[in-house]
Amino acid sequence: MKKNSLFNREHDYSLRITAFLASLDKDEIINVSSISKKLHLSKIFTARIIHKLRVANIVGSVQGKYGGFYLKANSEEISIWDVLNAMGYKVRLNDCMDENFFCDLMFGCQFHTFFIGLEQNIFEQLKQQKISDYIFRFTK
Amino acid sequence: MKKNSLFNREHDYSLRITAFLASLDKDEIINVSSISKKLHLSKIFTARIIHKLRVANIVGSVQGKYGGFYLKANSEEISIWDVLNAMGYKVRLNDCMDENFFCDLMFGCQFHTFFIGLEQNIFEQLKQQKISDYIFRFTK
DNA sequence: TTTAAATAATACTTAATAAGTAATGATTAA
DNA sequence: TTAATCATTACTTATTAAGTATTATTTAAA
């Protein structure tokens, strides 16, 4: 049976990639092939994800031959929430929390109120976790 | 863009249906047509959902002409969690929490640990909420 | 100046799922 | 016997997740 998820593969991988980049030395850059091998991801999927992270300014890139990527921000200042948002993270625990959702029962629906609170609670927990506490280190 | 959900339409409707049944008088039963009209759901979808609730023993049914459904348990003793489970609620915040999931990084992956904690936290909140606090009442 | 190795960006593919529909059988009051 | 109701399972359709493919651009170095 399908299970409801809050995070998909892209979200997961983006966290791994960020946590790995956080382990690099200052001024060190790494290319997509190396990242994908280390993290056991396909090269092309890795490229798509890291590109989004770059657009969101989480990572920086150097183009051309011998180019690559590096973590732009300080890992102590980036949260799981920040990375997820870079990937275009959108959550609504329930469809009824959607902006354009109309529900005849909405007025006074305590479920709706409960879901809003639960969602806020989850978001807070994601914001509290900094990437610096999740750094992946590999023996070189 | 698609948003990640923790609850789908069936889950939502099952909560509404249970909360509505909780408003009925003792010994009162109500048929699917009436429920679906009150809650603005399709009759056939309502039937399928309430059938699952019956199998899970959350609601009871009376078959045949003038039959219908009623809440079997005490609404103060049923939690949101119980209703969701009756619907076959399965959650894993992230695929990596799946039993059969293999991940080369799993050993020592702090993200994995964090997700487990977050999930437990969410489950606790669902268990704490009793249907009695969410009863739908309509003017008759 | 040419080439190779890398990033940049977008379009495509496929299997699975959510949500809802349709159809037929079984039960029971009158 | 019949009408109204629940019981059960199979089907449909649009959307999404996940991953692949392709082509363009950039740059270091021979």
PDB file of all heavy atoms in Angstrom, chain D residues 3-15:
ATOM      1  P    DA D   3     -40.851  -2.299  -6.305  1.00  0.00           P
ATOM      2  OP1  DA D   3     -42.075  -1.849  -6.959  1.00  0.00           O
ATOM      3  OP2  DA D   3     -39.685  -2.776  -7.085  1.00  0.00           O
ATOM      4  O5'  DA D   3     -40.361  -1.135  -5.336  1.00  0.00           O
ATOM      5  C5'  DA D   3     -41.101  -0.883  -4.140  1.00  0.00           C
ATOM      6  C4'  DA D   3     -40.145  -0.500  -3.030  1.00  0.00           C
ATOM      7  O4'  DA D   3     -39.523  -1.682  -2.462  1.00  0.00           O
ATOM      8  C3'  DA D   3     -39.000   0.414  -3.478  1.00  0.00           C
ATOM      9  O3'  DA D   3     -38.888   1.420  -2.498  1.00  0.00           O
ATOM     10  C2'  DA D   3     -37.787  -0.510  -3.507  1.00  0.00           C
ATOM     11  C1'  DA D   3     -38.116  -1.480  -2.381  1.00  0.00           C
ATOM     12  N9   DA D   3     -37.505  -2.801  -2.485  1.00  0.00           N
ATOM     13  C8   DA D   3     -37.267  -3.535  -3.617  1.00  0.00           C
ATOM     14  N7   DA D   3     -36.714  -4.714  -3.382  1.00  0.00           N
ATOM     15  C5   DA D   3     -36.593  -4.747  -2.005  1.00  0.00           C
ATOM     16  C6   DA D   3     -36.077  -5.722  -1.119  1.00  0.00           C
ATOM     17  N6   DA D   3     -35.596  -6.901  -1.518  1.00  0.00           N
ATOM     18  N1   DA D   3     -36.088  -5.445   0.198  1.00  0.00           N
ATOM     19  C2   DA D   3     -36.589  -4.273   0.603  1.00  0.00           C
ATOM     20  N3   DA D   3     -37.105  -3.273  -0.130  1.00  0.00           N
ATOM     21  C4   DA D   3     -37.071  -3.585  -1.435  1.00  0.00           C
ATOM     22  P    DA D   4     -38.064   2.732  -2.758  1.00  0.00           P
ATOM     23  OP1  DA D   4     -38.941   3.891  -2.474  1.00  0.00           O
ATOM     24  OP2  DA D   4     -37.337   2.614  -4.030  1.00  0.00           O
ATOM     25  O5'  DA D   4     -37.009   2.623  -1.567  1.00  0.00           O
ATOM     26  C5'  DA D   4     -37.484   2.390  -0.243  1.00  0.00           C
ATOM     27  C4'  DA D   4     -36.338   1.910   0.616  1.00  0.00           C
ATOM     28  O4'  DA D   4     -35.995   0.550   0.261  1.00  0.00           O
ATOM     29  C3'  DA D   4     -35.051   2.728   0.462  1.00  0.00           C
ATOM     30  O3'  DA D   4     -34.563   3.027   1.765  1.00  0.00           O
ATOM     31  C2'  DA D   4     -34.096   1.795  -0.282  1.00  0.00           C
ATOM     32  C1'  DA D   4     -34.588   0.443   0.190  1.00  0.00           C
ATOM     33  N9   DA D   4     -34.282  -0.672  -0.711  1.00  0.00           N
ATOM     34  C8   DA D   4     -34.401  -0.724  -2.066  1.00  0.00           C
ATOM     35  N7   DA D   4     -34.062  -1.878  -2.599  1.00  0.00           N
ATOM     36  C5   DA D   4     -33.689  -2.644  -1.511  1.00  0.00           C
ATOM     37  C6   DA D   4     -33.226  -3.969  -1.396  1.00  0.00           C
ATOM     38  N6   DA D   4     -33.052  -4.787  -2.432  1.00  0.00           N
ATOM     39  N1   DA D   4     -32.952  -4.434  -0.147  1.00  0.00           N
ATOM     40  C2   DA D   4     -33.131  -3.616   0.894  1.00  0.00           C
ATOM     41  N3   DA D   4     -33.567  -2.345   0.910  1.00  0.00           N
ATOM     42  C4   DA D   4     -33.826  -1.926  -0.337  1.00  0.00           C
ATOM     43  P    DT D   5     -33.652   4.251   2.018  1.00  0.00           P
ATOM     44  OP1  DT D   5     -34.150   4.919   3.221  1.00  0.00           O
ATOM     45  OP2  DT D   5     -33.488   4.999   0.751  1.00  0.00           O
ATOM     46  O5'  DT D   5     -32.244   3.558   2.338  1.00  0.00           O
ATOM     47  C5'  DT D   5     -32.123   2.786   3.524  1.00  0.00           C
ATOM     48  C4'  DT D   5     -31.209   1.602   3.324  1.00  0.00           C
ATOM     49  O4'  DT D   5     -31.586   0.781   2.196  1.00  0.00           O
ATOM     50  C3'  DT D   5     -29.757   1.903   3.000  1.00  0.00           C
ATOM     51  O3'  DT D   5     -29.047   2.259   4.164  1.00  0.00           O
ATOM     52  C2'  DT D   5     -29.274   0.552   2.474  1.00  0.00           C
ATOM     53  C1'  DT D   5     -30.550  -0.174   2.103  1.00  0.00           C
ATOM     54  N1   DT D   5     -30.529  -0.763   0.737  1.00  0.00           N
ATOM     55  C2   DT D   5     -30.156  -2.080   0.625  1.00  0.00           C
ATOM     56  O2   DT D   5     -29.859  -2.783   1.573  1.00  0.00           O
ATOM     57  N3   DT D   5     -30.129  -2.562  -0.658  1.00  0.00           N
ATOM     58  C4   DT D   5     -30.430  -1.857  -1.810  1.00  0.00           C
ATOM     59  O4   DT D   5     -30.368  -2.405  -2.911  1.00  0.00           O
ATOM     60  C5   DT D   5     -30.812  -0.496  -1.622  1.00  0.00           C
ATOM     61  C7   DT D   5     -31.136   0.364  -2.801  1.00  0.00           C
ATOM     62  C6   DT D   5     -30.846  -0.003  -0.363  1.00  0.00           C
ATOM     63  P    DC D   6     -27.456   2.586   4.019  1.00  0.00           P
ATOM     64  OP1  DC D   6     -27.140   3.425   5.186  1.00  0.00           O
ATOM     65  OP2  DC D   6     -27.170   3.086   2.665  1.00  0.00           O
ATOM     66  O5'  DC D   6     -26.719   1.178   4.174  1.00  0.00           O
ATOM     67  C5'  DC D   6     -26.893   0.422   5.368  1.00  0.00           C
ATOM     68  C4'  DC D   6     -26.390  -0.995   5.143  1.00  0.00           C
ATOM     69  O4'  DC D   6     -26.922  -1.510   3.904  1.00  0.00           O
ATOM     70  C3'  DC D   6     -24.864  -1.112   5.023  1.00  0.00           C
ATOM     71  O3'  DC D   6     -24.471  -2.353   5.623  1.00  0.00           O
ATOM     72  C2'  DC D   6     -24.649  -1.131   3.530  1.00  0.00           C
ATOM     73  C1'  DC D   6     -25.847  -1.952   3.083  1.00  0.00           C
ATOM     74  N1   DC D   6     -26.210  -1.740   1.656  1.00  0.00           N
ATOM     75  C2   DC D   6     -26.190  -2.824   0.775  1.00  0.00           C
ATOM     76  O2   DC D   6     -25.880  -3.941   1.202  1.00  0.00           O
ATOM     77  N3   DC D   6     -26.506  -2.615  -0.525  1.00  0.00           N
ATOM     78  C4   DC D   6     -26.839  -1.389  -0.955  1.00  0.00           C
ATOM     79  N4   DC D   6     -27.143  -1.245  -2.247  1.00  0.00           N
ATOM     80  C5   DC D   6     -26.856  -0.270  -0.063  1.00  0.00           C
ATOM     81  C6   DC D   6     -26.530  -0.481   1.213  1.00  0.00           C
ATOM     82  P    DA D   7     -22.936  -2.812   5.549  1.00  0.00           P
ATOM     83  OP1  DA D   7     -22.710  -3.759   6.662  1.00  0.00           O
ATOM     84  OP2  DA D   7     -22.105  -1.599   5.432  1.00  0.00           O
ATOM     85  O5'  DA D   7     -22.848  -3.614   4.174  1.00  0.00           O
ATOM     86  C5'  DA D   7     -23.307  -4.955   4.121  1.00  0.00           C
ATOM     87  C4'  DA D   7     -22.437  -5.783   3.175  1.00  0.00           C
ATOM     88  O4'  DA D   7     -22.798  -5.506   1.797  1.00  0.00           O
ATOM     89  C3'  DA D   7     -20.934  -5.531   3.276  1.00  0.00           C
ATOM     90  O3'  DA D   7     -20.293  -6.808   3.178  1.00  0.00           O
ATOM     91  C2'  DA D   7     -20.620  -4.636   2.079  1.00  0.00           C
ATOM     92  C1'  DA D   7     -21.671  -5.059   1.060  1.00  0.00           C
ATOM     93  N9   DA D   7     -22.182  -4.002   0.192  1.00  0.00           N
ATOM     94  C8   DA D   7     -22.597  -2.751   0.566  1.00  0.00           C
ATOM     95  N7   DA D   7     -23.060  -2.030  -0.430  1.00  0.00           N
ATOM     96  C5   DA D   7     -22.945  -2.870  -1.541  1.00  0.00           C
ATOM     97  C6   DA D   7     -23.275  -2.697  -2.909  1.00  0.00           C
ATOM     98  N6   DA D   7     -23.813  -1.583  -3.398  1.00  0.00           N
ATOM     99  N1   DA D   7     -23.029  -3.724  -3.745  1.00  0.00           N
ATOM    100  C2   DA D   7     -22.497  -4.849  -3.237  1.00  0.00           C
ATOM    101  N3   DA D   7     -22.152  -5.135  -1.975  1.00  0.00           N
ATOM    102  C4   DA D   7     -22.406  -4.086  -1.165  1.00  0.00           C
ATOM    103  P    DT D   8     -18.724  -6.931   3.258  1.00  0.00           P
ATOM    104  OP1  DT D   8     -18.405  -8.301   3.715  1.00  0.00           O
ATOM    105  OP2  DT D   8     -18.183  -5.755   3.962  1.00  0.00           O
ATOM    106  O5'  DT D   8     -18.300  -6.835   1.736  1.00  0.00           O
ATOM    107  C5'  DT D   8     -18.817  -7.803   0.820  1.00  0.00           C
ATOM    108  C4'  DT D   8     -18.298  -7.527  -0.570  1.00  0.00           C
ATOM    109  O4'  DT D   8     -19.007  -6.422  -1.166  1.00  0.00           O
ATOM    110  C3'  DT D   8     -16.815  -7.147  -0.624  1.00  0.00           C
ATOM    111  O3'  DT D   8     -16.172  -8.172  -1.356  1.00  0.00           O
ATOM    112  C2'  DT D   8     -16.766  -5.800  -1.349  1.00  0.00           C
ATOM    113  C1'  DT D   8     -18.120  -5.776  -2.059  1.00  0.00           C
ATOM    114  N1   DT D   8     -18.705  -4.434  -2.337  1.00  0.00           N
ATOM    115  C2   DT D   8     -19.217  -4.198  -3.597  1.00  0.00           C
ATOM    116  O2   DT D   8     -19.207  -5.027  -4.478  1.00  0.00           O
ATOM    117  N3   DT D   8     -19.746  -2.942  -3.777  1.00  0.00           N
ATOM    118  C4   DT D   8     -19.808  -1.928  -2.840  1.00  0.00           C
ATOM    119  O4   DT D   8     -20.309  -0.858  -3.115  1.00  0.00           O
ATOM    120  C5   DT D   8     -19.253  -2.241  -1.538  1.00  0.00           C
ATOM    121  C7   DT D   8     -19.259  -1.213  -0.470  1.00  0.00           C
ATOM    122  C6   DT D   8     -18.732  -3.469  -1.350  1.00  0.00           C
ATOM    123  P    DT D   9     -14.557  -8.220  -1.426  1.00  0.00           P
ATOM    124  OP1  DT D   9     -14.160  -9.605  -1.114  1.00  0.00           O
ATOM    125  OP2  DT D   9     -13.950  -7.077  -0.718  1.00  0.00           O
ATOM    126  O5'  DT D   9     -14.347  -7.984  -2.981  1.00  0.00           O
ATOM    127  C5'  DT D   9     -15.293  -8.522  -3.904  1.00  0.00           C
ATOM    128  C4'  DT D   9     -15.215  -7.782  -5.215  1.00  0.00           C
ATOM    129  O4'  DT D   9     -15.967  -6.541  -5.160  1.00  0.00           O
ATOM    130  C3'  DT D   9     -13.798  -7.374  -5.641  1.00  0.00           C
ATOM    131  O3'  DT D   9     -13.642  -7.707  -7.001  1.00  0.00           O
ATOM    132  C2'  DT D   9     -13.776  -5.874  -5.455  1.00  0.00           C
ATOM    133  C1'  DT D   9     -15.218  -5.553  -5.818  1.00  0.00           C
ATOM    134  N1   DT D   9     -15.702  -4.216  -5.386  1.00  0.00           N
ATOM    135  C2   DT D   9     -16.478  -3.486  -6.255  1.00  0.00           C
ATOM    136  O2   DT D   9     -16.811  -3.884  -7.355  1.00  0.00           O
ATOM    137  N3   DT D   9     -16.868  -2.255  -5.778  1.00  0.00           N
ATOM    138  C4   DT D   9     -16.557  -1.712  -4.551  1.00  0.00           C
ATOM    139  O4   DT D   9     -16.964  -0.599  -4.247  1.00  0.00           O
ATOM    140  C5   DT D   9     -15.741  -2.530  -3.686  1.00  0.00           C
ATOM    141  C7   DT D   9     -15.339  -2.026  -2.344  1.00  0.00           C
ATOM    142  C6   DT D   9     -15.355  -3.729  -4.140  1.00  0.00           C
ATOM    143  P    DA D  10     -12.180  -7.858  -7.646  1.00  0.00           P
ATOM    144  OP1  DA D  10     -11.805  -9.286  -7.646  1.00  0.00           O
ATOM    145  OP2  DA D  10     -11.275  -6.863  -7.023  1.00  0.00           O
ATOM    146  O5'  DA D  10     -12.465  -7.403  -9.131  1.00  0.00           O
ATOM    147  C5'  DA D  10     -13.794  -7.466  -9.665  1.00  0.00           C
ATOM    148  C4'  DA D  10     -14.027  -6.280 -10.570  1.00  0.00           C
ATOM    149  O4'  DA D  10     -14.460  -5.136  -9.791  1.00  0.00           O
ATOM    150  C3'  DA D  10     -12.778  -5.829 -11.334  1.00  0.00           C
ATOM    151  O3'  DA D  10     -13.148  -5.666 -12.695  1.00  0.00           O
ATOM    152  C2'  DA D  10     -12.407  -4.504 -10.692  1.00  0.00           C
ATOM    153  C1'  DA D  10     -13.769  -3.992 -10.259  1.00  0.00           C
ATOM    154  N9   DA D  10     -13.742  -3.011  -9.174  1.00  0.00           N
ATOM    155  C8   DA D  10     -13.153  -3.138  -7.940  1.00  0.00           C
ATOM    156  N7   DA D  10     -13.299  -2.086  -7.163  1.00  0.00           N
ATOM    157  C5   DA D  10     -14.030  -1.205  -7.943  1.00  0.00           C
ATOM    158  C6   DA D  10     -14.516   0.097  -7.700  1.00  0.00           C
ATOM    159  N6   DA D  10     -14.313   0.751  -6.555  1.00  0.00           N
ATOM    160  N1   DA D  10     -15.209   0.700  -8.693  1.00  0.00           N
ATOM    161  C2   DA D  10     -15.402   0.042  -9.833  1.00  0.00           C
ATOM    162  N3   DA D  10     -15.007  -1.180 -10.187  1.00  0.00           N
ATOM    163  C4   DA D  10     -14.313  -1.756  -9.179  1.00  0.00           C
ATOM    164  P    DC D  11     -12.086  -5.381 -13.825  1.00  0.00           P
ATOM    165  OP1  DC D  11     -12.490  -6.188 -15.007  1.00  0.00           O
ATOM    166  OP2  DC D  11     -10.731  -5.516 -13.254  1.00  0.00           O
ATOM    167  O5'  DC D  11     -12.338  -3.847 -14.172  1.00  0.00           O
ATOM    168  C5'  DC D  11     -13.663  -3.428 -14.541  1.00  0.00           C
ATOM    169  C4'  DC D  11     -13.723  -1.913 -14.521  1.00  0.00           C
ATOM    170  O4'  DC D  11     -13.546  -1.439 -13.172  1.00  0.00           O
ATOM    171  C3'  DC D  11     -12.643  -1.222 -15.355  1.00  0.00           C
ATOM    172  O3'  DC D  11     -13.311  -0.545 -16.411  1.00  0.00           O
ATOM    173  C2'  DC D  11     -11.952  -0.262 -14.377  1.00  0.00           C
ATOM    174  C1'  DC D  11     -12.936  -0.169 -13.227  1.00  0.00           C
ATOM    175  N1   DC D  11     -12.353   0.111 -11.881  1.00  0.00           N
ATOM    176  C2   DC D  11     -12.596   1.345 -11.275  1.00  0.00           C
ATOM    177  O2   DC D  11     -13.277   2.195 -11.882  1.00  0.00           O
ATOM    178  N3   DC D  11     -12.083   1.593 -10.035  1.00  0.00           N
ATOM    179  C4   DC D  11     -11.368   0.650  -9.410  1.00  0.00           C
ATOM    180  N4   DC D  11     -10.888   0.939  -8.195  1.00  0.00           N
ATOM    181  C5   DC D  11     -11.109  -0.620 -10.009  1.00  0.00           C
ATOM    182  C6   DC D  11     -11.610  -0.847 -11.242  1.00  0.00           C
ATOM    183  P    DT D  12     -12.500   0.231 -17.531  1.00  0.00           P
ATOM    184  OP1  DT D  12     -13.337   0.311 -18.749  1.00  0.00           O
ATOM    185  OP2  DT D  12     -11.134  -0.347 -17.586  1.00  0.00           O
ATOM    186  O5'  DT D  12     -12.391   1.689 -16.924  1.00  0.00           O
ATOM    187  C5'  DT D  12     -13.571   2.458 -16.699  1.00  0.00           C
ATOM    188  C4'  DT D  12     -13.167   3.859 -16.299  1.00  0.00           C
ATOM    189  O4'  DT D  12     -12.627   3.846 -14.967  1.00  0.00           O
ATOM    190  C3'  DT D  12     -12.114   4.489 -17.204  1.00  0.00           C
ATOM    191  O3'  DT D  12     -12.632   5.738 -17.621  1.00  0.00           O
ATOM    192  C2'  DT D  12     -10.873   4.625 -16.305  1.00  0.00           C
ATOM    193  C1'  DT D  12     -11.489   4.691 -14.914  1.00  0.00           C
ATOM    194  N1   DT D  12     -10.682   4.202 -13.761  1.00  0.00           N
ATOM    195  C2   DT D  12     -10.521   5.036 -12.682  1.00  0.00           C
ATOM    196  O2   DT D  12     -10.957   6.164 -12.643  1.00  0.00           O
ATOM    197  N3   DT D  12      -9.813   4.494 -11.630  1.00  0.00           N
ATOM    198  C4   DT D  12      -9.270   3.223 -11.557  1.00  0.00           C
ATOM    199  O4   DT D  12      -8.679   2.861 -10.560  1.00  0.00           O
ATOM    200  C5   DT D  12      -9.460   2.402 -12.730  1.00  0.00           C
ATOM    201  C7   DT D  12      -8.916   1.013 -12.752  1.00  0.00           C
ATOM    202  C6   DT D  12     -10.151   2.919 -13.763  1.00  0.00           C
ATOM    203  P    DT D  13     -12.004   6.484 -18.887  1.00  0.00           P
ATOM    204  OP1  DT D  13     -13.133   7.013 -19.668  1.00  0.00           O
ATOM    205  OP2  DT D  13     -10.982   5.611 -19.516  1.00  0.00           O
ATOM    206  O5'  DT D  13     -11.255   7.706 -18.212  1.00  0.00           O
ATOM    207  C5'  DT D  13     -11.917   8.461 -17.199  1.00  0.00           C
ATOM    208  C4'  DT D  13     -10.903   9.328 -16.485  1.00  0.00           C
ATOM    209  O4'  DT D  13     -10.294   8.593 -15.411  1.00  0.00           O
ATOM    210  C3'  DT D  13      -9.755   9.813 -17.383  1.00  0.00           C
ATOM    211  O3'  DT D  13      -9.588  11.202 -17.144  1.00  0.00           O
ATOM    212  C2'  DT D  13      -8.559   9.002 -16.907  1.00  0.00           C
ATOM    213  C1'  DT D  13      -8.897   8.848 -15.421  1.00  0.00           C
ATOM    214  N1   DT D  13      -8.230   7.729 -14.711  1.00  0.00           N
ATOM    215  C2   DT D  13      -7.900   7.897 -13.380  1.00  0.00           C
ATOM    216  O2   DT D  13      -8.116   8.926 -12.767  1.00  0.00           O
ATOM    217  N3   DT D  13      -7.304   6.813 -12.786  1.00  0.00           N
ATOM    218  C4   DT D  13      -7.008   5.610 -13.376  1.00  0.00           C
ATOM    219  O4   DT D  13      -6.473   4.722 -12.733  1.00  0.00           O
ATOM    220  C5   DT D  13      -7.374   5.487 -14.776  1.00  0.00           C
ATOM    221  C7   DT D  13      -7.088   4.222 -15.495  1.00  0.00           C
ATOM    222  C6   DT D  13      -7.962   6.537 -15.362  1.00  0.00           C
ATOM    223  P    DA D  14      -8.846  12.127 -18.239  1.00  0.00           P
ATOM    224  OP1  DA D  14      -9.848  12.675 -19.168  1.00  0.00           O
ATOM    225  OP2  DA D  14      -7.651  11.405 -18.758  1.00  0.00           O
ATOM    226  O5'  DA D  14      -8.319  13.309 -17.315  1.00  0.00           O
ATOM    227  C5'  DA D  14      -8.954  13.549 -16.060  1.00  0.00           C
ATOM    228  C4'  DA D  14      -7.892  13.812 -15.004  1.00  0.00           C
ATOM    229  O4'  DA D  14      -7.368  12.560 -14.493  1.00  0.00           O
ATOM    230  C3'  DA D  14      -6.699  14.622 -15.512  1.00  0.00           C
ATOM    231  O3'  DA D  14      -6.444  15.642 -14.566  1.00  0.00           O
ATOM    232  C2'  DA D  14      -5.559  13.591 -15.586  1.00  0.00           C
ATOM    233  C1'  DA D  14      -5.951  12.607 -14.491  1.00  0.00           C
ATOM    234  N9   DA D  14      -5.482  11.227 -14.703  1.00  0.00           N
ATOM    235  C8   DA D  14      -5.489  10.506 -15.868  1.00  0.00           C
ATOM    236  N7   DA D  14      -5.031   9.284 -15.733  1.00  0.00           N
ATOM    237  C5   DA D  14      -4.689   9.193 -14.397  1.00  0.00           C
ATOM    238  C6   DA D  14      -4.141   8.151 -13.616  1.00  0.00           C
ATOM    239  N6   DA D  14      -3.835   6.964 -14.108  1.00  0.00           N
ATOM    240  N1   DA D  14      -3.930   8.401 -12.309  1.00  0.00           N
ATOM    241  C2   DA D  14      -4.245   9.601 -11.818  1.00  0.00           C
ATOM    242  N3   DA D  14      -4.760  10.661 -12.441  1.00  0.00           N
ATOM    243  C4   DA D  14      -4.962  10.384 -13.754  1.00  0.00           C
ATOM    244  P    DT D  15      -5.202  16.636 -14.749  1.00  0.00           P
ATOM    245  OP1  DT D  15      -5.668  17.963 -14.304  1.00  0.00           O
ATOM    246  OP2  DT D  15      -4.614  16.440 -16.096  1.00  0.00           O
ATOM    247  O5'  DT D  15      -4.175  16.106 -13.656  1.00  0.00           O
ATOM    248  C5'  DT D  15      -4.664  15.784 -12.353  1.00  0.00           C
ATOM    249  C4'  DT D  15      -3.541  15.187 -11.547  1.00  0.00           C
ATOM    250  O4'  DT D  15      -3.295  13.832 -11.978  1.00  0.00           O
ATOM    251  C3'  DT D  15      -2.219  15.941 -11.678  1.00  0.00           C
ATOM    252  O3'  DT D  15      -1.829  16.318 -10.373  1.00  0.00           O
ATOM    253  C2'  DT D  15      -1.272  14.932 -12.332  1.00  0.00           C
ATOM    254  C1'  DT D  15      -1.903  13.599 -11.955  1.00  0.00           C
ATOM    255  N1   DT D  15      -1.676  12.444 -12.865  1.00  0.00           N
ATOM    256  C2   DT D  15      -1.211  11.254 -12.323  1.00  0.00           C
ATOM    257  O2   DT D  15      -0.968  11.119 -11.130  1.00  0.00           O
ATOM    258  N3   DT D  15      -1.048  10.232 -13.228  1.00  0.00           N
ATOM    259  C4   DT D  15      -1.296  10.285 -14.590  1.00  0.00           C
ATOM    260  O4   DT D  15      -1.117   9.306 -15.280  1.00  0.00           O
ATOM    261  C5   DT D  15      -1.776  11.555 -15.085  1.00  0.00           C
ATOM    262  C7   DT D  15      -2.064  11.708 -16.535  1.00  0.00           C
ATOM    263  C6   DT D  15      -1.941  12.561 -14.208  1.00  0.00           C
TER     264       DT D  15
END
